[in-house]
Amino acid sequence: MIKRNFTPFPILTTERLTLRQLSTDDQQDILALRSDPEINKYLAREPSKTIEDATNFINKVNEHIQKNNSIYWAITLAKTNTFVGTICLFNFSDEKNSGEIGYELMPKFQKQGIMTEAIKEVISYAFQWLKFQKIVAFTHQENHHSIKLLEKVNFLPSPETHQEDPGFNVFTCNSSCF
């Protein structure tokens, strides 16, 4: 059984990053992130169009955290508190002691090792604190940057297929990848 209690919210830190809870102060950054065509290129979602969309998203995310249904971090640069992206764990399975990971990074911060650093910290948290046995990631087969990132942090291609969209690859990570 996965032990989940996100109160108080688990702030994670690395050498360069602080992973913290989203707040409504992040609404402009969330709007920029979720409306960016490059980020949305491989995601099946409606882009955010207004500050209200961003605020509603933040509120929804924080409701899920309060219910211990998911955990969602804003990724910020530790020295400047600059918002650079997000990372989350969701779709928890108590019977499999597993969850899914998702992430987004503003284009101007890509290819700097930021997401690699964030994912490693979240993987560590998932296996040490939540006692996960497995983490699953889905990425579009044409999203080569995401595939390389997952392979870099020791996720392995899975023979499973994405139920709703065969254009997505499935990757898994168990405790041996962390």
Side-chain angles (χ1 to χ4, degrees):
M1 181 82 157
I2 297 172
K3 177 182 94 179
R4 290 190 304 254
N5 183 358
F6 304 130
T7 304
F9 186 86
I11 296 170
L12 308 178
T13 58
T14 68
E15 185 177 326
R16 296 186 296 164
L17 307 174
T18 300
L19 281 62
R20 60 158 176 82
Q21 188 167 9
L22 279 175
S23 77
T24 52
D25 293 342
D26 296 313
Q27 61 190 0
Q28 197 66 51
D29 292 317
I30 288 295
L31 176 61
L33 183 74
R34 294 181 61 83
S35 64
D36 186 284
E38 190 62 30
I39 293 170
N40 285 314
K41 186 176 182 179
Y42 300 111
L43 300 173
R45 71 172 182 210
E46 279 294 312
S48 293
K49 296 181 175 109
T50 66
I51 286 291
E52 185 179 358
D53 289 345
T55 301
N56 289 340
F57 175 77
I58 291 167
N59 291 336
K60 182 178 170 185
V61 161
N62 285 329
E63 285 174 25
H64 284 289
I65 293 168
Q66 286 175 342
K67 295 176 183 174
N68 299 311
N69 292 334
S70 65
I71 183 77
Y72 195 101
W73 291 272
I75 303 169
T76 62
L77 299 178
K79 289 183 180 175
T80 61
N81 200 29
T82 303
F83 179 98
V84 298
T86 63
I87 189 165
C88 59
L89 294 168
F90 63 107
N91 280 347
F92 299 136
S93 170
D94 288 340
E95 62 189 39
K96 296 179 182 177
N97 281 355
S98 67
E100 184 176 337
I101 194 167
Y103 45 84
E104 302 170 299
L105 192 63
M106 297 296 289
K108 72 180 184 176
F109 294 102
Q110 293 177 5
K111 298 182 183 177
Q112 297 175 33
I114 290 171
M115 193 55 75
T116 301
E117 198 171 317
I119 284 179
K120 285 179 178 181
E121 192 66 22
V122 169
I123 289 170
S124 175
Y125 174 81
F127 288 116
Q128 288 184 339
W129 294 99
L130 299 178
K131 305 300 182 198
F132 276 15
Q133 297 298 309
K134 179 172 84 170
I135 300 172
V136 178
F138 298 96
T139 191
H140 195 278
Q141 61 193 9
E142 294 177 14
N143 191 344
H144 302 291
H145 294 297
S146 185
I147 292 168
K148 279 183 181 178
L149 173 65
L150 291 169
E151 290 172 342
K152 186 176 186 175
V153 295
N154 300 318
F155 275 72
L156 298 172
S158 171
E160 299 173 51
T161 57
H162 189 279
Q163 299 292 344
E164 292 141 25
D165 190 339
F168 278 79
N169 293 330
V170 181
F171 286 82
T172 61
C173 171
N174 58 35
S175 58
S176 66
C177 77
F178 123 89

